[in-house]
Amino acid sequence: MAKTKNYLPIEDYGIIGNMKTVAIVSLEGAIDFMCFPSFDSPTIFSKLLDHDNGGSFSVTPQLRFSRTKQLYIPGTAILLTRFFSDEGISEVTDYMPVAGNNGNSFCAIVRKIKTIRGKVTYKIRCEPRFDYARAAHDIHQKGANELNFCAVNDGDAMVRLLADFPLQHNERDGFAEVTLNHGEEALIVLESVKRTQSDLLHDLEFYQHKSYQDTVHYWKKWISKSTYSGRYTDLVVRSAITLKLLTSTEHGSMVAAPTFSIPESMEGDRNWDYRFTWIRDAAFTMYAFLRLGFTEEAASFLKWIQLRSADPVLHLMYAINGEKVMEETELENFEGYMGRGKVRIGNAARDQFQMDIYGELIDTIYIYNKNHTKINYELWLTIQKHIDCVIDYWEKPDHGIWEFRNGEKEFLHSRLMCWVAMDRAIKIATDRSFPYPGPEWKSIRDKIYKDIYDGFWNEELGAWVQYRGAKVVDASALLMPLTHFITADEPRWLSTMRVIEEQLSTDVLVYRYHSEDGLDGKEGTFNMCSFWFIEALAKNKETDKALEYFEKMTGYANHLGLFSEQIGKRGEHLGNFPQAFTHLALISAALELDKQLDRI
């Protein structure tokens, strides 16, 4: 087992990206995780999952007793890491170009190195490890300032390292040392290309003089489209940019998180691959985008969904390009974060049956149609196919929103979202005067409502429970008032809320559930559920409590305002990072708080 001291906490990282992939950058100035050139490509750097063998790309100022700070250029995904010591101040600026790129360069990371004060020597080391560190590679030097790393098992895969200072290499790695005086800068770029198209690469001058400003302008222009004008601008903007970084420009889909197998528990094997498009996560994200005024992302996602409509039964998750998610397997050559394997790629939940996805999807389409752009009849025909599935299967047990691996049950959340699907489809049809079997749909909607209201109520517990016949609650019930199934002052809801708080919360930190899920280990509190709880408090007119809890909860973000999936017992971040679920729930809670505070 690895020495845990070699691994940085998850919260000691930031991200950069280009809507094709992201890189995870540590407070020490190292890129310790990246799938290259796409979100779901094999890793090229994965030190985060295997300290000794995973590979990294580091820029290390040779400063004694230095301290580091990280920040983003406001309103952008451009990350600055600054190193402070008595000897000097150093700065590394990291970004992935997203504009001014003519498409010939498949993917690039630009690292600008600058001495702010003093005279500083920097050691640079590039340790690519192709195909999840399973594939060998060759290195070819072209002149003093360029190295080409070529995978042995893939005749066309290559990354190019280019710098404005001399580069050296050994059998596996590239390295350099450069000394910069006060005010001096250096530049190093890593590009992913195909060997057969290496003549199409950009030269270094492009990255020195054009790509930075193009990237700044891209992000500033994008964030300027936001209609948000509430009290939490910095938090909302950073969450929106994070969600944008997880969205594919090429396809319109998005990943739930850009990493895999970062543990949800330091005991057990709750390690999953999140580099895929869950219909649920994407729909929730598009809902958040729409509420902030980012309509183009929602429109692109709906086009992606329509391409999946040939099969009326939606899968709960897809690869970014819409194909089937790869089979779940274990990488035995990785020791896992802090030595805590198993390291999994692919996801076996791809074959699970989950009914809630139709509600989340059609609810997002409803908001799109209501507040932004009226949908066309072709999309309506797709919705009808989905409603047919709801009608056929709403009573069928499934694996639920949390993807239980110990069997199917009649989960409350799945049933609730079937009601949402019917309700929103009826409202869309009414608004657009689309033809639909009104009496039949309304009858089924009402039948689902009554089934939930009575069939999932536990009189002894005084709450709506996790699944039919259960004696425990689930935090996903917090969506009952948020989806307008009931009003926030409904007596049964107020009682359910109290039970959720008693059973699942520790102050603002909320667990998903405490029931048996078929997995080993005890997970942390679930950040999305904490923000749902805050939003529910706000809707209940418990505004002071909601406000205090929101401010507490946002304090669990890392130094850059980023969240992973969960919070552990020592306040540490757990799970894949950054997590779309958390950031979209933060946005929704902030919007509800703004609305309630404006009424005071």
Side-chain angles (χ1 to χ4, degrees), residues 226-232 236 287-293 535 538 550 584-598:
S226 172
T227 57
Y228 182 76
S229 58
R231 297 164 176 79
Y232 308 106
V236 169
Y287 187 96
F289 276 147
L290 286 169
R291 295 183 71 186
L292 296 177
E535 187 172 353
F550 184 80
L584 63 89
L586 182 156
I587 290 170
S588 188
L591 290 167
E592 183 63 32
L593 267 175
D594 280 327
K595 182 169 70 173
Q596 297 299 335
L597 290 169
D598 287 343

Side-chain angles (χ1 to χ4, degrees), residues 133 149 179 183 186 207 313 521 532 558 560:
F149 300 84
T179 300
Y207 294 109
V313 179
W532 283 350
N558 79 349
L560 295 167

Side-chain angles (χ1 to χ4, degrees), residues 24-308:
I24 310 295
V25 187
S26 78
L27 268 168
E28 295 179 349
I31 294 173
D32 286 343
F33 184 94
M34 182 171 63
C35 297
F36 217 37
S38 302
F39 290 112
D40 54 359
S41 296
T43 53
I44 190 169
F45 303 122
S46 48
K47 184 178 179 179
L48 192 58
L49 297 175
D50 193 300
H51 182 274
D52 295 330
N53 303 310
S56 182
F57 181 13
S58 59
V59 176
T60 309
Q62 303 303 291
L63 295 169
R64 292 179 298 174
F65 310 113
S66 64
R67 299 182 60 191
T68 57
K69 301 285 186 181
Q70 271 185 331
L71 64 147
Y72 284 107
I73 300 294
T76 77
I78 298 172
L79 182 65
L80 273 63
T81 306
R82 279 193 161 184
F83 302 80
F84 298 84
S85 83
D86 292 337
E87 298 170 332
I89 300 175
S90 301
E91 179 179 271
V92 179
T93 302
D94 289 313
Y95 66 96
M96 300 182 78
V98 290
N101 188 334
N102 63 11
N104 292 327
S105 177
F106 290 87
C107 209
I109 295 173
V110 181
R111 314 201 73 183
K112 293 201 303 180
I113 308 164
K114 184 176 182 179
T115 297
I116 305 298
R117 174 173 59 80
K119 179 179 180 180
V120 182
T121 296
Y122 301 83
K123 289 187 176 181
I124 297 97
R125 195 164 193 93
C126 184
E127 306 169 339
R129 301 292 182 263
F130 290 87
D131 190 28
Y132 305 108
R134 297 179 299 190
H137 62 270
D138 297 325
I139 304 177
H140 305 282
Q141 184 138 13
K142 295 181 66 176
N145 302 79
E146 180 179 340
L147 298 176
N148 293 335
F149 300 84
C150 304
V152 172
N153 67 339
D154 186 338
D156 212 20
M158 183 182 90
V159 293
R160 179 179 79 153
L161 190 66
L162 187 67
D164 58 4
F165 49 84
L167 299 171
Q168 298 175 276
H169 69 89
N170 55 28
E171 290 185 359
R172 303 181 74 190
D173 307 328
F175 56 91
E177 186 172 302
V178 61
T179 300
L180 301 176
N181 292 308
H182 166 79
E184 291 183 335
E185 296 183 2
L187 190 74
I188 187 166
V189 179
L190 185 75
E191 288 185 308
S192 174
V193 295
K194 293 183 178 180
R195 254 179 273 186
T196 54
Q197 295 181 324
S198 59
D199 59 320
L200 300 177
L201 288 165
H202 295 297
D203 56 25
L204 197 61
E205 185 176 352
F206 169 82
Y207 294 109
Q208 288 173 321
H209 303 297
K210 184 170 175 55
S211 69
Y212 178 78
Q213 286 303 326
D214 282 350
T215 303
V216 170
H217 293 156
Y218 172 89
W219 285 109
K220 295 285 189 180
K221 182 178 179 180
W222 184 79
I223 205 65
S224 71
K225 299 176 184 177
S226 172
T227 57
Y228 182 76
S229 58
R231 297 164 176 79
Y232 308 106
T233 300
D234 290 345
L235 289 165
V236 169
V237 165
R238 184 50 50 200
S239 289
I241 289 174
T242 301
L243 293 175
K244 177 66 172 174
L245 284 171
L246 304 185
T247 304
S248 168
T249 299
E250 179 182 1
H251 299 292
S253 52
M254 69 166 301
V255 294
T259 58
F260 59 89
S261 285
I262 299 178
E264 297 171 3
S265 171
M266 298 314 291
E267 299 84 28
D269 61 351
R270 297 171 183 266
N271 306 337
W272 316 115
D273 190 346
Y274 278 10
R275 298 171 299 154
F276 310 113
T277 299
W278 271 256
I279 297 296
R280 174 192 309 113
D281 301 48
F284 276 142
T285 298
M286 298 311 147
Y287 187 96
F289 276 147
L290 286 169
R291 295 183 71 186
L292 296 177
F294 299 112
T295 58
E296 292 180 9
E297 287 72 18
S300 295
F301 174 65
L302 292 181
K303 290 179 182 177
W304 184 87
I305 280 290
Q306 282 190 271
L307 292 174
R308 317 277 83 77

Side-chain angles (χ1 to χ4, degrees), residues 13 30 68 93 102 114 126 142 189 260 305-306 322 337 340 379 381 406 415 423 426-427 469 490 501 538 599:
Y13 287 90
T68 57
T93 302
N102 63 11
K114 184 176 182 179
C126 184
K142 295 181 66 176
V189 179
F260 59 89
I305 280 290
Q306 282 190 271
Y337 176 69
R340 311 297 175 113
L379 180 54
L381 292 177
N406 60 344
R415 198 61 48 89
D423 182 71
I426 291 167
K427 289 177 178 176
E490 162 72 48
E501 187 167 14
R599 292 174 176 173

